[in-house]
Amino acid sequence: LGDLMLLTAGQQICADAVVRSGSCEVDESLVTGESEPVVKQPGDSLLSGSFVVAGACRAEAIHVGAENFASRLTLEAKVHKKPNSELMRSLEWIIKIISIAILPVGILLFGRQFFLTGEPAGRAIVSTVAAVLGMIPEGLMLLTSVALTVGVLRLAYRRTLVQELYCIETLARADILCLDKTGTLTEGQMRVERVLPADGISEAALRQSMADYLAPLETDNATTLALRAYCAGITPASPTALRSVPFSSARKWGGVQLAAGTLLLGAPGILFPFSPIAETADRLGAEGGSRVLVLASSDLPLPADGLPDQIRLLGYILIADPIRPEAPDTLRFFKEQGVDLLILSGDSPATVAKIAADAGFTGAGEAVDASRMSDEALVAALDHCRIFGRVTPYHKRLLVGALKKQGHTVAMTGDGVNDVLALKDADCGIAMASGSDAARQVAQLVLLDNNFASLPHVVAEGRRVINNIQRSSSLFLIKNIFSFLLAVLLIVFSLDVAYPLLPIQLTLFSVMWIGAPSFVLALEPNDSPIRGRFLETVLARSLPGGITIVLVLLAAIFLTQPLDLSTGALSTVCLFLVGWCGLVNLLLVCWPLNLLRGLLCAAMTLGFLGAAFLFPDFFFLVPLPGRVWLRMLLPALCAPVLIVSLDLLVRRLVARYDRLMARRSAHPSSRRGGHRAARPKS
């Protein structure tokens, strides 16, 4: 309590405070929900959790710790943005369905075996436990977490900080990436390229006026640092200001009131809207791709809310920001991967379009001025425009929200306070480490090397994780499907036989044909594009194997009934048939084989047979006569044909469904807006 804090643009206010000197503009949207910056003068209160977007001040802390407004608010209602993760939603759905189905199926199966078939209580309990355990996708959540964690560690080596586990998947699935020009396409190292004084103004006078404007300012950003370098060595006429309005990205101008008059610096279209001065600035920006600011003056004092009248132009200031060398290759990568790119910048559309064209951006000729458009027109422009100039933080948030409503998965890059709202609303927010504290805190990904070229590695890692988890998850669900279907069939048709597998036998199957292979496959390199939805893909891959195992086991039960096999012999037969089907399914999942996958299949086969023949008593296996093996040849030989045939049938049905959905999406009446309709959710 009582500490004085020096607060500058981009910093988050960590404790409730009162402004003692200076003035600033504060974004309280994270606390109050209001996106408009609030001007704070001496005596005004500051809320913890808000951000300084412009200006600087000294504030005295009046609350700390649990007494802070943000802390009290958190205790009452903690708002958490749930990740837009299809993987998480699918796993939660699988667990929810299994949790609902497992209890009644287990009770009915035990009742049928104990009361109807006369099985001893011990055998009925063990059989029921085996069926129930087979329905649980044990290890699936662990596999997913491990695969994502390995992805996070790999990205850390590439100087990318992952602040939310599932954002790797979100970026890999993103179909639209919104980019900021400064710091993303360009290096963010501003410098004054040239100046054009107005008629009757010399360059020396323009530099003197610029030095007078900068002298009272207490904060610096990339633009003011470039201007200070341009004015180096110039002694300002007055180091203090009677009144000042700090420059902000939302307002796009700043001003200081000195004893000799008022000086203004800002965007030409804001200080001189719909005038030849603004048109000249647009032409200068389009010619060289530079950011154009104007310095102006007025003899009138600076009003509290707005610009003074009688503004005179002093000169144009052209600020250049070099294009990143790696930007063209990165833009080309996203284009090849089918990711649409949007550029949202506060600079003039002509300037942004010129820089985008130099960086190899497709569609750079289509640029609009967001400051001259209504909200409805701006959203409608998403159908045909890829570059938006003179956007405010409100515009960025509006466009991101509109894209999400159209069904797109939106990723957003940014580094300034003006990007905070859009970064928070986007499905995946990406911030630069050199950016503001606010941007880094709300983003899911932080590029520690400030290099836009790191994003392809993040996308590749996300694809590796999702594709491998999809492939491995199908192994897990095979056991769940055949255990559930077999238990239901035994209940419905009242077959005079207990559940044919024991828990320890299912453990051997799970280790050799599910657990060990899935972890190896989950860490394998894989940068193929993500195809289909997670749940649909996993079910389509696991259904053929699960149905085949059920049919093979039912065939084994019927074929061995005349032989009057013991319970142990039937369990032995079923375990070897299930193991054989597990090998066939693993080969199908690993196809096409390479050295690693071939060694994996061979190792699992040797492990399964070795465990069965070396430890038969541990797995409750008994010797089988030759006539039993002969009867098992038919279902064993039919298993590969059945799995492959069902797999082809399911793939054909899925492809037909996709074509049907694509035709519906392409129909004008079914489009939800946007330049490309997103695939409907099934």
Side-chain angles (χ1 to χ4, degrees), residues 409-494:
T409 302
V410 183
M412 169 83 187
T413 66
D415 58 357
V417 179
N418 59 319
D419 300 317
V420 169
L421 296 176
L423 286 173
K424 187 179 180 183
D425 286 354
D427 294 307
C428 182
I430 306 161
M432 304 293 177
S434 61
S436 65
D437 293 343
R440 292 196 302 270
Q441 290 173 25
V442 301
Q444 286 84 34
L445 283 171
V446 180
L447 305 182
L448 299 179
D449 56 359
N450 304 306
N451 194 345
F452 175 51
S454 300
L455 287 183
H457 300 300
V458 182
V459 173
E461 192 63 34
R463 289 178 173 177
R464 182 194 67 79
V465 171
I466 298 172
N467 286 326
N468 289 342
I469 289 179
Q470 283 185 166
R471 184 169 56 186
S472 301
S473 297
S474 63
L475 296 175
F476 282 90
L477 293 187
I478 285 175
K479 185 187 70 169
N480 309 139
I481 290 174
F482 91 72
S483 295
F484 178 77
L485 290 180
L486 184 59
V488 171
L489 291 175
L490 291 176
I491 295 171
V492 172
F493 294 104
S494 299

Side-chain angles (χ1 to χ4, degrees), residues 20-81:
R20 295 306 181 197
S21 64
S23 64
C24 62
E25 292 188 23
V26 176
D27 182 355
E28 297 180 341
S29 60
L30 297 182
V31 180
T32 65
E34 296 294 333
S35 60
E36 291 296 326
V38 181
V39 178
K40 300 292 185 179
Q41 302 288 351
D44 293 339
S45 61
L46 301 174
L47 297 178
S48 57
S50 54
F51 294 93
V52 179
V53 297
C57 70
R58 288 176 174 81
E60 179 184 351
I62 58 174
H63 293 140
V64 295
E67 297 299 321
N68 279 326
F69 175 81
S71 300
R72 299 197 306 270
L73 189 65
T74 302
L75 293 176
E76 296 176 8
K78 184 177 181 182
V79 178
H80 174 66
K81 175 188 172 184

Side-chain angles (χ1 to χ4, degrees), residues 276-299:
I277 294 176
E279 296 174 0
T280 301
D282 289 341
R283 179 177 54 80
L284 292 173
E287 290 175 354
S290 301
R291 181 184 183 187
V292 181
L293 298 175
V294 292
L295 185 66
S297 65
S298 175
D299 295 331

Side-chain angles (χ1 to χ4, degrees), residues 156-169:
Y157 283 112
R158 294 188 177 274
R159 303 285 295 159
T160 301
L161 174 63
V162 179
Q163 302 196 121
E164 189 177 273
L165 195 62
Y166 284 90
C167 71
I168 302 177
E169 177 209 357

